[in-house]
Amino acid sequence: MSHLNNTTKQRRFKHLTEMERYQIEILLKEKKKSKEIAVILGKHRRTIEREIARGTVQMLNSDLTYTFRYCADVGHRKYLENGQNKGAGLKIGHDHKLARHIEKRIIQDRYSPDAVIGEIRAKGLEFKTSICTKTLYNYIDKEVFANITNKDLPIKRHKKKGRYHRVRVALKNLKGTSIEQRPKHIENREEYGHWEMDCVVGGKGDSGAVLLVLTERKSREEIIRKMPNRTQSSVKQELDRLERRYGKRFSQKFKTITVDNGPEFLNSSELEGSIIKQGEIRVKVYYAHPYSSGERGSNENGNRLIRRFIPKGTDISNYTAQEIKRIEHWMNNYPRKIHGYKTAKEMAA
């Protein structure tokens, strides 16, 4: 039995191959009908009819007349061209509810794409479509959303984390306690109450107002206070207010604070001394090594989040205490990847 006369039943729903198109051309020259060709090739009749229609071209005969004939080469070329134009449709194309949710979170709530997707999964929010973070970034790159571009993203880069190496250099603050003497278990971030503290400054030549930022190492809870200037006395006043606010609970909430060697932190005795119980230490302060911001990494990351609302060079005095409080609230309710997209507020509870 020749190959053309083979009637063995083949698996259906497969695309025609180039060889099968040549077989169709030969069988048509033998005056075979579409139904017969379908049986021979083991294809559906409509598949053969569509292929013949696709590959039929007008040809010039030797007597200068025209005729329509099927050409396997033309049929296969059109098949390949059509295949290049195919592609997966946008998953989000018909899920307008999800698109609106993403736009609101990124534009109004200042979420990163990863935080948006992470929150959806962590909270079990239901939409018709499910996409991953990479797909969302691709959609933004291709400007699929009507209202979102890369300019709306707080940060867009892929940066590998470098390995942390402890730098041993001399302390500027010889009176303070070095981070080297801080209990080792604090590095594990398993116990609540160990904080990092820093100041976020405004622009040069402005009023001099700054933000005092405290970040809890385990939960990433944030406390932000506006100060008139970057001085030791202003920092002490804010810590005094916190001690009065929490009272007996202060020593439980604030077990240690790690700071840099900025001039506003150098007098450790003033920072550590209690105003409620005279002569007692309210919190132990440790000093990081100079030029080692990685030793207060959570604090630095928190400062970057603040910059989404208060860009560098901005006069902080223009922001009210209520506006600063809203930023603090936003940060404590922002889903964190490191916590499985739970918030700092949930982790601190």
Side-chain angles (χ1 to χ4, degrees), residues 195-337:
W195 298 73
E196 298 169 2
M197 185 166 65
D198 191 20
C199 282
V200 172
V201 300
K204 294 182 179 180
D206 60 19
S207 64
V210 300
L211 297 178
L212 182 67
V213 182
L214 292 96
T215 307
E216 203 281 317
R217 286 175 55 83
K218 179 183 178 182
S219 65
R220 274 66 170 186
E221 178 185 356
E222 299 284 341
I223 296 176
I224 309 175
R225 295 292 182 267
K226 180 181 175 182
M227 301 192 305
N229 49 54
R230 189 182 180 184
T231 61
Q232 177 84 45
S233 60
S234 293
V235 174
K236 181 182 183 304
Q237 287 176 12
E238 291 303 327
L239 291 180
D240 291 348
R241 291 190 181 100
L242 288 173
E243 186 181 9
R244 292 191 187 97
R245 175 184 174 184
Y246 289 101
K248 295 179 180 179
R249 295 187 295 116
F250 181 87
S251 59
Q252 297 176 351
K253 189 172 183 68
F254 299 91
K255 297 174 182 177
T256 67
I257 299 178
T258 302
V259 298
D260 61 18
N261 291 273
E264 68 274 27
F265 302 132
L266 289 185
N267 193 335
S268 59
S269 60
E270 285 193 0
L271 301 181
E272 294 177 339
S274 173
I275 59 166
I276 296 177
K277 298 179 180 179
Q278 296 295 326
E280 294 189 15
I281 293 179
R282 60 185 171 189
V283 62
K284 184 61 182 175
V285 176
Y286 294 96
Y287 290 86
H289 296 98
Y291 312 109
S292 301
S293 59
E295 294 177 338
R296 298 178 301 97
S298 298
N299 205 198
E300 294 293 334
N301 288 335
N303 293 348
R304 285 170 55 194
L305 291 177
I306 292 174
R307 290 301 187 188
R308 296 188 187 183
F309 301 88
I310 306 178
K312 288 185 177 181
T314 304
D315 189 346
I316 293 176
S317 66
N318 294 330
Y319 293 84
T320 65
Q322 187 176 6
E323 289 173 325
I324 301 301
K325 195 68 178 177
R326 280 201 294 266
I327 296 174
E328 178 187 286
H329 179 270
W330 178 89
M331 293 177 68
N332 288 329
N333 288 275
Y334 184 76
R336 310 287 184 118
K337 183 177 181 179

Side-chain angles (χ1 to χ4, degrees), residues 4-57:
L4 290 179
N5 294 325
N6 181 11
T7 58
T8 302
K9 189 174 182 180
Q10 299 180 17
R11 191 172 67 173
R12 296 176 182 272
F13 310 118
K14 289 183 66 177
H15 289 200
L16 289 168
T17 65
E18 186 176 11
M19 181 59 67
E20 287 172 333
R21 289 186 172 87
Y22 285 120
Q23 291 175 356
I24 292 174
E25 184 175 344
I26 294 172
L27 292 170
L28 286 173
K29 289 179 180 179
E30 295 177 357
K31 307 299 182 182
K32 299 289 186 182
K33 295 183 179 180
S34 300
K35 187 175 181 180
E36 295 175 292
I37 297 174
V39 172
I40 293 172
L41 297 183
K43 304 293 182 181
H44 194 277
R45 176 179 57 84
R46 286 293 298 144
T47 300
I48 303 301
E49 290 175 350
R50 284 194 295 267
E51 176 59 31
I52 293 173
R54 175 166 48 205
T56 297
V57 293

Side-chain angles (χ1 to χ4, degrees), residues 78 142 323:
K78 289 185 177 181
K142 296 175 182 178
E323 289 173 325

Side-chain angles (χ1 to χ4, degrees), residues 87-130:
L90 294 176
K91 294 179 68 177
I92 202 172
H94 300 290
D95 197 341
H96 301 296
K97 181 181 177 183
L98 175 59
R100 287 194 299 269
H101 177 81
I102 291 173
E103 288 185 342
K104 177 183 180 298
R105 278 291 189 239
I106 291 178
I107 297 174
Q108 296 182 22
D109 301 334
R110 301 174 189 254
Y111 277 29
S112 70
D114 183 65
V116 175
I117 301 302
E119 180 195 42
I120 290 173
R121 293 178 178 175
K123 294 185 177 180
L125 303 180
E126 294 186 1
F127 297 95
K128 294 179 182 178
T129 308
S130 175

